[in-house]
Amino acid sequence: APTHPEIFDNEEYDCRTPEDWLACSADGKTVHGKALLPTENNIPSDDPESSLLEYSWHLVAVLEFSKEKCQYLVQKVHQNTNCLEVNTLQTDTGHWVPRIRLLFIAEDPRVFVERIQFALRLRDKVEALIFYHLTVDCMPTWSETPSLILTVYSVSKHTLSTPGLSVEKCLGDLEMEVKLDYERTMNRMIFDKVVQSQSEDFSHINLPETESVPESVPQSGKAVSLESITLS
């Protein structure tokens, strides 16, 4: 099942705090909005199987906010002529919804759409990264991977000879960690090369973006005289 988008919600899109939104009802009017809720009235939105249900947008009244849940309590309403009245049906006891599933009537819907798109794009990116790293972790170790015995021995020798540094007890664990990280790095290099060379067969794999490496500072440069420098 896909990850819930509220995990990747960017609160910077919100123009008001929860207290400010609820304060809009200080004049006696109820704060209204549209919430993404299960179509069936008798199923709470926080049900463990609610992700398998059919959802739709409903006109709601925003009643309160829970700091512990970081969710709003809403209740479906129906529009009667020119006024909004809270639905008093016993089957609708209210729903706790995250902010990304609640559009306030007073907010800009275009910004709200951008907020949802941001969360969905970030979710796709994170899920692709998790799938990529799990694939690399499940790869068997290549039998012809160059050995690290001499390198580890040299590092261990210099480490143990350092005065005031006592690592004898954890040296074995450190060597094992270095070996595992080295083997994983080699597998990752092989995997990336295969994916790039056979992109059609591995179209479902998204390689992580490579970090840009800053240009190295040259060891020597060309001397420039002060006379050749002109101030603009």
Side-chain angles (χ1 to χ4, degrees), residues 153-207:
Y153 174 78
S154 177
V155 173
S156 302
K157 181 179 179 181
H158 286 81
T159 302
L160 294 175
S161 62
T162 303
L165 185 62
S166 178
V167 294
E168 291 84 356
K169 296 181 179 180
C170 58
L171 187 59
D173 295 336
L174 292 175
E175 291 179 356
M176 180 61 67
E177 185 175 350
V178 170
K179 181 181 178 181
L180 291 175
D181 189 59
Y182 170 74
E183 292 177 349
R184 187 184 188 280
T185 302
M186 297 299 295
N187 280 348
R188 181 174 178 179
M189 294 172 60
I190 297 173
F191 182 71
D192 290 355
K193 185 177 181 180
V194 172
V195 172
Q196 292 174 353
S197 61
Q198 304 178 23
S199 57
E200 294 183 358
D201 296 334
F202 294 94
S203 58
H204 58 288
I205 300 292
N206 294 327
L207 297 179

Side-chain angles (χ1 to χ4, degrees), residues 8 195 212:
F8 309 97
V195 172
S212 58

Side-chain angles (χ1 to χ4, degrees), residues 78-150:
H78 64 86
Q79 189 169 4
N80 185 13
T81 61
N82 295 328
C83 63
L84 294 173
E85 296 180 357
V86 175
N87 192 340
T88 57
L89 295 177
Q90 297 296 327
T91 56
D92 186 12
T93 58
H95 303 266
W96 288 101
V97 296
R99 179 64 175 88
I100 199 173
R101 285 168 48 186
L102 174 61
L103 167 65
F104 286 96
I105 297 298
E107 71 174 307
D108 190 343
R110 296 169 297 182
V111 177
F112 185 74
V113 170
E114 293 180 4
R115 181 174 187 166
I116 295 178
Q117 291 176 341
F118 175 87
L120 295 178
R121 287 194 298 265
L122 182 58
R123 182 184 66 177
D124 294 341
K125 181 178 180 180
V126 171
E127 289 181 346
L129 282 175
I130 293 176
F131 182 74
Y132 167 82
H133 287 291
L134 285 177
T135 304
V136 174
D137 291 337
C138 293
M139 290 179 60
T141 304
W142 187 36
S143 59
E144 298 184 8
T145 301
S147 177
L148 272 180
I149 296 178
L150 295 179

Side-chain angles (χ1 to χ4, degrees), residues 21-33 60-64 73-75 77 84-86 104-105:
W21 282 117
L22 295 177
C24 295
S25 62
D27 56 356
K29 296 182 180 180
T30 305
V31 180
H32 292 94
V60 296
V62 185
L63 305 179
E64 62 178 288
L73 177 62
V74 300
Q75 188 175 17
V77 303
L84 294 173
E85 296 180 357
V86 175
F104 286 96
I105 297 298

